[in-house]
Amino acid sequence: MLYLWLKALHVVAIVCWFAGLFYLPRLFVYHAMSEDQLSRERFQTMERKLYRGIMMPSMIATLLFGIGMIAMNPGLFATGGWLHAKLTLVIVLIGYHHLCGAQLKRFARDENNRSHVFYRWFNEFPVLLLLAIVILVVVKPF
């Protein structure tokens, strides 16, 4: 029963984390397009609160609940090739998360040198990761 609770909490944490991963780059799009100081300050506040208040705790919870599930079912780790692929993508996702944090710091220092078009494309990357991760978890192709 504990395993099912961990799995449910893991899924909730993932949903919260991805909400932030989808929304923060969208805020970057609007921030890059803003021309007045008041708008830039407003976006800096929104970005900081989203990253620190939702994304970081959600990422940490996702990882802790996932580690808990693996600890309770270590056989999965030994035989599930799909799990190894998923964990590799999660590592990539953590890297993307930290890239978002680095961009947030650049915006906070008013040092952004990228256009809103860049952030529109940047915003699509977590969609591809989510698609691949869900397929690996549900289909378990190997």
Side-chain angles (χ1 to χ4, degrees):
M1 188 63 151
L2 177 59
Y3 183 84
L4 294 177
W5 278 103
L6 287 174
K7 186 186 279 190
L9 293 171
H10 182 67
V11 170
V12 170
I14 290 167
V15 169
C16 294
W17 188 21
F18 268 96
L21 289 169
F22 292 150
Y23 189 48
L24 184 61
R26 179 55 49 184
L27 288 175
F28 292 161
V29 169
Y30 302 134
H31 194 158
M33 292 172 49
S34 66
E35 296 178 2
D36 61 285
Q37 188 61 29
L38 182 62
S39 294
R40 286 192 293 270
E41 288 172 3
R42 184 178 305 120
F43 283 118
Q44 288 171 359
T45 300
M46 292 169 67
E47 292 158 358
R48 185 184 71 251
K49 287 182 177 184
L50 177 63
Y51 189 78
R52 291 184 186 164
I54 295 172
M55 291 173 64
M56 281 301 264
S58 298
M59 180 187 71
I60 292 166
T62 296
L63 296 175
L64 290 176
F65 294 132
I67 290 167
M69 288 190 304
I70 290 171
M72 289 188 73
N73 193 359
L76 248 180
F77 192 69
T79 60
W82 64 270
L83 182 59
H84 294 261
K86 175 199 171 192
L87 293 175
T88 300
L89 293 177
V90 170
I91 290 168
V92 172
L93 190 62
I94 292 167
Y96 179 84
H97 174 102
H98 289 292
L99 276 175
C100 287
Q103 281 305 128
L104 181 136
K105 289 176 184 176
R106 282 189 199 97
F107 274 115
R109 294 187 308 260
D110 288 323
E111 294 175 358
N112 175 54
N113 57 2
R114 295 191 166 118
S115 74
H116 66 93
V117 175
F118 169 83
Y119 293 112
R120 289 179 195 279
W121 285 103
F122 184 72
N123 192 34
E124 301 305 320
F125 188 67
V127 175
L128 300 174
L129 290 174
L130 179 63
L131 178 66
I133 289 169
V134 168
I135 290 171
L136 285 168
V137 171
V138 173
V139 177
K140 295 180 177 69
F142 47 88

